[in-house]
Amino acid sequence: MNKLLLIAALFCLATAQTVQECPTDGSVLECVIQDSPVCGIRSLTNGKQIKETFANYCAACNVGKVEYTVSGKCESYPAQAQFCSPAQSNAEICTMIYDPQCGYFNQQVNCLVPPCNIDQYNRCKTCSTQNVLYTIKGKCPSH
């Protein structure tokens, strides 16, 4: 039963994993009425994230408090997921501070045995690994 739930959850995530950065110049986007739910992400100074589901990318970014969006409803991801921002995904240099993180890959990575994840020694290293969508603090669960 647990395997069936895990497969269903991974299928849902596999269909919804595009990250889009919101404009930072204060411009207002012209939105069309389109129901394509996104999870809007805003990072706090303490490293936590505020996540809120919006009807679409345009609606999320026009609020002005969302930095980037991830396709799909926030509720379709684990509550403890910390999404990798576009800037974190492009980091070239990371500290060597040990703070284990489990990184979960986006749908571009096909795994033979789900879940598709990787252990890294800190969040920066995890997010800068190609195709990692989000992290969860601690080591990855064993299969």
Side-chain angles (χ1 to χ4, degrees), residues 115-136:
C116 295
N117 56 29
I118 186 172
D119 279 313
Q120 293 286 8
Y121 57 86
N122 64 33
R123 182 162 162 73
C124 177
K125 181 65 177 164
T126 310
C127 283
S128 63
T129 301
Q130 187 173 3
N131 293 319
V132 168
L133 181 64
Y134 65 87
T135 67
I136 294 179

Side-chain angles (χ1 to χ4, degrees), residues 18 20 36-40 52-58 60 69-74:
T18 303
Q20 287 187 284
S36 182
V38 297
C39 182
E52 183 179 350
T53 299
F54 293 89
N56 55 47
Y57 166 81
C58 187
T69 65
V70 178
S71 297
K73 295 179 180 181
C74 299

Side-chain angles (χ1 to χ4, degrees), residues 15-27:
T15 60
Q17 297 182 329
T18 303
V19 177
Q20 287 187 284
E21 199 164 12
C22 291
T24 56
D25 62 1
S27 61

Side-chain angles (χ1 to χ4, degrees), residues 93-105:
I93 299 173
C94 293
T95 67
M96 295 298 289
I97 297 171
Y98 184 71
D99 183 22
Q101 299 284 318
C102 181
Y104 289 82
F105 291 103

Side-chain angles (χ1 to χ4, degrees), residues 25-107:
D25 62 1
S27 61
V28 177
L29 303 173
E30 289 188 35
C31 299
V32 295
I33 299 174
Q34 174 187 6
D35 189 31
S36 182
V38 297
C39 182
I41 312 295
R42 180 169 49 115
S43 299
L44 301 176
T45 54
N46 63 1
K48 302 283 184 189
Q49 293 178 336
I50 295 177
K51 303 172 220 165
E52 183 179 350
T53 299
F54 293 89
N56 55 47
Y57 166 81
C58 187
C61 290
N62 271 345
V63 171
K65 295 182 179 178
V66 173
E67 297 167 33
Y68 59 98
T69 65
V70 178
S71 297
K73 295 179 180 181
C74 299
E75 300 79 28
S76 64
Y77 296 96
Q80 67 272 35
Q82 292 290 300
F83 292 98
C84 298
S85 71
Q88 291 168 325
S89 296
N90 294 323
E92 293 181 16
I93 299 173
C94 293
T95 67
M96 295 298 289
I97 297 171
Y98 184 71
D99 183 22
Q101 299 284 318
C102 181
Y104 289 82
F105 291 103
N106 62 27
Q107 80 272 9

Side-chain angles (χ1 to χ4, degrees), residues 3-15 17 76-77:
K3 287 185 180 182
L4 183 60
L5 290 174
L6 180 61
I7 291 169
L10 289 172
F11 176 77
C12 290
L13 289 178
T15 60
Q17 297 182 329
S76 64
Y77 296 96

